[in-house]
Amino acid sequence: EARSVASVMRFQFHDCFANLSLSNIGSLRSFDVIDNIKEALEKACPATVPCADIIIMSARDAVALTGGPDWEVKLGRKDSLTASQKDSDDIMPSPRSNATSLINLFQRFNLSTKDMVALSGSHSIGEARCFSIMARLYNQSGSGKPDPAFEPIYREKLSMLCPMGGDENVTSGRTQLLKRGFLNSDQTLFTSPETSDYVTMFSENETEFLKAFAEGMVKMGDLQSTKPVEIRLNCRVVNRKNS
């Protein structure tokens, strides 16, 4: 299923960074991919590979399937036994976030502005729901008007796709260039002086973007990790991360 590639890639952000937030009820999808992998691994190698490792390996492979970069994944995480809905909701960035708030949020996790812009580039292979853009289309900042940053032809196209009172679960592709950011949080990266140079650089230099994206994914995979631990797998001793 074509959209599952982007959906599986997205899991790494939600598992390592935000966990599952109320704002994503109904939008996260393709859990069955992880379930199927876990079921197969349990048959072949019982009680050995945690879902946390499956998620980041699957995210890496999903990126590779799109023609994106490949990278070495650190393994050996432990699945969490606790969860906090409040913590997730407090961390989850809004689709209406501006560049400054996104920079500050990512810095809390020791992720740089460059990391944030590169990781946001993952939106170019995904889709978003009309739900996330209705305010921007029809009532930006409570003005009763659309976001003036919209490129007019693109805004007209989105208005036809996402009419007032229409089905807000309809989806559309996303991009960050030519004033055609679907989400405000994407558009602001192009217009903000703090981030626009990175957007332009990545759009003009694919090699640099893919390198920065892979580095950002590795950093994000290390979030909430503690010191490396030694575990035995298939009679071999390996040093891996424990989180």
Side-chain angles (χ1 to χ4, degrees):
E1 198 273 306
R3 283 185 64 202
S4 68
V5 173
S7 300
V8 169
M9 173 183 62
R10 187 181 178 202
F11 281 146
Q12 177 166 330
F13 173 77
H14 290 278
D15 196 50
C16 297
F17 191 105
N19 297 312
L20 182 55
S21 171
L22 284 174
S23 62
N24 277 308
I25 289 178
S27 70
L28 286 177
R29 54 196 301 280
S30 298
F31 289 103
D32 57 305
V33 175
I34 306 301
D35 290 340
N36 290 341
I37 296 170
K38 178 65 173 175
E39 182 180 0
L41 279 169
E42 285 303 309
K43 290 178 180 178
C45 198
T48 301
V49 185
C51 286
D53 276 352
I54 293 172
I55 285 172
I56 66 161
M57 285 188 285
S58 299
R60 184 270 315 274
D61 292 350
V63 172
L65 284 170
T66 70
D70 194 3
W71 60 89
E72 183 178 350
V73 170
K74 301 175 185 178
L75 301 175
R77 291 161 182 78
K78 291 183 178 180
D79 289 334
S80 175
L81 300 179
T82 62
S84 170
Q85 187 69 68
K86 181 181 184 304
D87 287 349
S88 298
D89 292 340
D90 289 345
I91 292 170
M92 183 64 195
S94 165
R96 293 178 289 279
S97 297
N98 60 35
T100 300
S101 64
L102 290 171
I103 290 170
N104 292 338
L105 175 61
F106 276 68
Q107 283 180 344
R108 287 169 54 188
F109 294 88
N110 295 318
L111 292 167
S112 68
T113 300
K114 182 180 180 181
D115 294 329
M116 184 270 289
V117 176
L119 291 170
S120 296
S122 63
H123 290 172
S124 62
I125 67 166
E127 295 187 358
R129 296 180 297 164
C130 289
F131 169 81
S132 300
I133 200 178
M134 296 304 286
R136 190 172 176 223
L137 269 177
Y138 302 108
N139 191 27
Q140 177 76 346
S141 302
S143 66
K145 299 178 180 180
D147 182 354
F150 263 132
E151 191 273 330
I153 295 177
Y154 185 52
R155 184 189 68 209
E156 182 179 350
K157 175 183 176 182
L158 289 178
S159 296
M160 294 176 63
L161 180 72
C162 306
M164 184 78 75
D167 182 359
E168 295 188 0
N169 286 314
V170 171
T171 61
S172 173
R174 299 177 286 187
T175 182
Q176 287 175 285
L177 295 176
L178 304 175
K179 295 188 177 181
R180 293 190 177 186
F182 185 87
L183 304 177
N184 187 76
S185 56
D186 287 336
Q187 183 67 34
T188 188
L189 300 184
F190 179 72
T191 57
S192 170
E194 299 169 286
T195 53
S196 60
D197 286 347
Y198 285 121
V199 175
T200 301
M201 177 181 69
F202 290 151
S203 69
E204 295 175 350
N205 188 331
E206 182 181 50
T207 299
E208 184 64 30
F209 164 65
L210 296 179
K211 178 176 179 289
F213 181 83
E215 290 173 351
M217 290 290 276
V218 171
K219 287 184 182 181
M220 190 162 58
D222 283 346
L223 295 182
Q224 304 180 50
S225 292
T226 57
K227 62 183 179 180
V229 296
E230 189 176 88
I231 63 173
R232 288 189 175 272
L233 180 62
N234 294 338
C235 300
R236 293 182 295 116
V237 177
V238 292
N239 289 316
R240 293 180 173 176
K241 286 272 187 173
N242 175 21
S243 67

